[in-house]
Amino acid sequence: VKDARETLADAGAAEYARYAGYGALAETKGAVQAATTWNWIYTPAELGPAAPVSRGWDFSKNPTVPSLGYVLFDWDNLFASHLLAFDAPALAYSNFVQIVRSKTAAGFVPNYACGGSKSSDRTEPPVGAKVLQDMAKRDPDAAWLVRLLFDDLEDWTDWFWASRLTNFSFGPAIVLGSDNVSDVNDGSVFHMQGARYESGLDNSPMYDGDDYFVNGRMQLADVGMTSMVVQELDSLVSLAPTAGRSDRVAELQRRADALRATVRDGLWDSDQKIFANRFANGTFSNRISPTSFYALQTNAPSEEQARTMMVAWLRNSSRFCVGGDDRSDECYWGPPSISADDPAFPPLGYWRGYVWGPMIQLVYWGLENYAEAVPEVKAAKAALADQAGAMFLNMWRRHGHVCENYSPWKNATDCTGDRFYHWGGLAGLAGLVEAGF
């Protein structure tokens, strides 16, 4: 009879043998898988196992058993399921249920949730329906999950429509906000910082200043959030027949098309040659981040606009530095979380220039929509996947780290955030998907 050590050794050997099927990407595959499987827990406070962002993060209040402390974050955990679905669908689905079913009484998935505590004033970037759509494509047996959670994910878009939609002179768009609630005491409720937290980009230069925050809402049409809501609505339209909810298609499509029209007609800045956030008075923001490329998720941009953004912005070595031999040592890994020609970039700091896995994934999703029709987009997509994968492996080989975020500097020696944070694996995943896995 084998002892436990032999059993584990045999299982490990079998798993490493499986990586061989990924050829030159075998090391990347193993590292991406490690990113999620290490951060895997069970707590009786949830309905099943879940994958917190990192074992060191804990927002729970006075847990009876301190070792059971944890926290789930909206898009962080949704992306964890996206990563897990490639190898461990059962784990992906359990984690997905926990985060979607953490939704508030108002109907949205909160910024954070743990042990009964949650941010009832704000959400974070919505990617749940898109992740569910991709999981269902990979696994037809996931139809049960679609039926289970479709209504919850539609509730989330209903909440956006009711609570974060503003009708600007240039069309309806999603804005960021923080509701006036009494059950959250983190100092940000109904303040500009709460709205910044809702963006998921906690200190982005895009949201510097407080003078455009009125009654719990930014007076700013947000191109990134508007585009992600369109992508969610489009994904729900695709999922509706499987969920037995074809009756909802017409309304979901109507809402998606209304926001899509605003992106197309109201958020393209012809002077900057990119989609941009726009203030209520009609002026465009000049703080440009990778969220501008999320417009490609909506299929609203023309092919010429997509081509222009690749040349003028994404592949420009003085802006987002994706690919090319003329990158500087200061913007060697991209895309940084703010354009490298922004005054906030040189000092760097969190969402003020570091490179993030979720931004890579969201940009990649948009590029997929145009890659076949626009050669410049196809080249940019391949360059992004290659560069992100090299950045990911650089820190994995040095330290065995999967970074919360990465320095854009060529000579960076370690992570610039948490050193084992699962969505850092999205940087490696892009290369695996690009290679057809």
Side-chain angles (χ1 to χ4, degrees):
V1 178
K2 289 183 179 180
D3 65 19
R5 287 171 296 182
E6 290 178 300
T7 300
L8 289 171
D10 288 348
E15 188 67 6
Y16 284 120
R18 189 174 69 86
Y19 296 162
Y22 290 84
L25 293 171
E27 184 180 12
T28 298
K29 175 59 187 173
V32 168
Q33 186 170 314
T36 49
T37 51
W38 173 248
N39 294 316
W40 190 254
I41 67 164
Y42 170 75
T43 169
E46 299 295 332
L47 297 174
V53 294
S54 179
R55 290 179 177 236
W57 288 64
D58 176 16
F59 282 20
S60 55
K61 297 179 180 179
N62 303 314
T64 303
V65 181
S67 62
L68 293 178
Y70 73 106
V71 63
L72 304 180
F73 290 103
D74 164 0
W75 62 328
D76 311 58
N77 275 82
L78 293 170
F79 278 131
S81 286
H82 182 61
L83 287 159
L84 283 160
F86 286 77
D87 296 291
L91 300 182
Y93 304 159
S94 177
N95 176 72
F96 195 79
V97 170
Q98 310 322 312
I99 190 60
V100 173
R101 285 290 171 89
S102 74
K103 73 175 189 177
T104 67
F108 64 87
V109 177
N111 171 184
Y112 68 82
C114 57
S117 174
K118 59 188 68 176
S119 58
S120 58
D121 66 309
R122 61 184 182 266
T123 187
E124 268 193 316
V127 295
K130 171 60 175 172
V131 169
L132 181 58
Q133 181 185 20
D134 284 0
M135 291 194 299
K137 284 180 180 178
R138 296 186 69 86
D139 178 13
D141 291 338
W144 68 270
L145 190 66
V146 176
R147 293 190 293 270
L148 178 69
L149 296 177
F150 180 92
D151 288 349
D152 296 302
L153 292 168
E154 186 184 11
D155 285 348
W156 197 3
T157 63
D158 286 346
W159 175 83
F160 269 108
W161 199 257
S163 298
R164 293 294 187 265
L165 185 75
T166 294
N167 289 304
F168 295 97
S169 61
F170 45 85
I174 300 299
V175 302
L176 296 163
S178 173
D179 295 338
N180 192 10
V181 301
S182 60
D183 59 334
V184 181
N185 300 301
D186 62 7
S188 67
V189 173
F190 209 54
H191 292 294
M192 182 64 171
Q193 188 56 51
R196 293 186 185 108
Y197 287 150
E198 184 162 89
S199 75
L201 319 176
D202 302 357
N203 68 337
S204 172
M206 291 190 296
Y207 311 122
D208 283 356
D210 298 330
D211 57 329
Y212 55 98
F213 183 77
V214 180
N215 293 327
R217 304 287 182 274
M218 289 192 198
Q219 305 304 299
L220 177 75
D222 194 279
V223 65
M225 290 294 275
T226 299
S227 297
M228 285 185 282
V229 170
V230 172
Q231 181 174 249
E232 288 293 279
L233 290 163
D234 285 344
S235 293
L236 287 170
V237 167
S238 176
L239 292 167
T242 301
R245 296 307 307 272
S246 295
D247 59 305
R248 300 299 304 146
V249 167
E251 178 61 16
L252 292 166
Q253 191 68 63
R254 183 188 73 81
R255 293 178 180 183
D257 290 344
L259 294 176
R260 198 181 339 265
T262 299
V263 173
R264 181 187 65 236
D265 302 328
L267 298 183
W268 173 257
D269 185 345
S270 57
D271 291 332
Q272 296 189 95
K273 294 183 171 53
I274 197 165
F275 291 90
N277 297 336
R278 193 171 187 181
F279 293 100
N281 65 6
T283 61
F284 285 98
S285 171
N286 63 0
R287 314 304 293 268
I288 305 299
S289 86
T291 62
S292 288
F293 303 110
Y294 300 0
L296 298 171
Q297 297 169 9
T298 71
N299 288 297
S302 68
E303 292 180 5
E304 182 57 33
Q305 287 171 330
R307 181 179 297 107
T308 297
M309 287 195 294
M310 298 304 101
V311 175
W313 288 91
L314 189 61
R315 305 208 66 186
N316 186 325
S317 61
S318 67
R319 287 176 165 168
F320 289 107
C321 324
V322 170
D325 297 327
D326 59 342
R327 289 172 289 160
S328 69
D329 287 353
E330 289 73 34
C331 192
Y332 188 79
W333 305 115
S337 47
I338 196 70
S339 179
D341 63 357
D342 189 284
F345 178 81
L348 297 178
Y350 215 49
W351 292 99
R352 304 177 77 84
Y354 291 151
V355 184
W356 293 76
M359 281 186 156
I360 291 169
Q361 179 63 71
L362 286 159
V363 171
Y364 190 86
W365 274 338
L367 298 178
E368 285 183 312
N369 289 340
Y370 288 79
E372 293 307 311
V374 183
E376 290 85 352
V377 175
K378 185 175 183 179
K381 182 166 73 76
L384 175 63
D386 182 67
Q387 183 171 305
M391 177 186 70
F392 173 72
L393 280 182
N394 182 38
M395 292 307 167
W396 178 256
R397 288 170 175 167
R398 282 174 179 267
H399 309 290
H401 290 166
V402 177
C403 303
E404 177 189 7
N405 48 66
Y406 298 82
S407 171
W409 293 356
K410 182 178 182 179
N411 63 354
T413 58
D414 205 345
C415 303
T416 43
D418 193 289
R419 295 174 179 175
F420 217 92
Y421 197 108
H422 51 48
W423 74 7
L426 292 167
L429 183 68
L432 295 170
V433 173
E434 185 71 12
F437 294 110

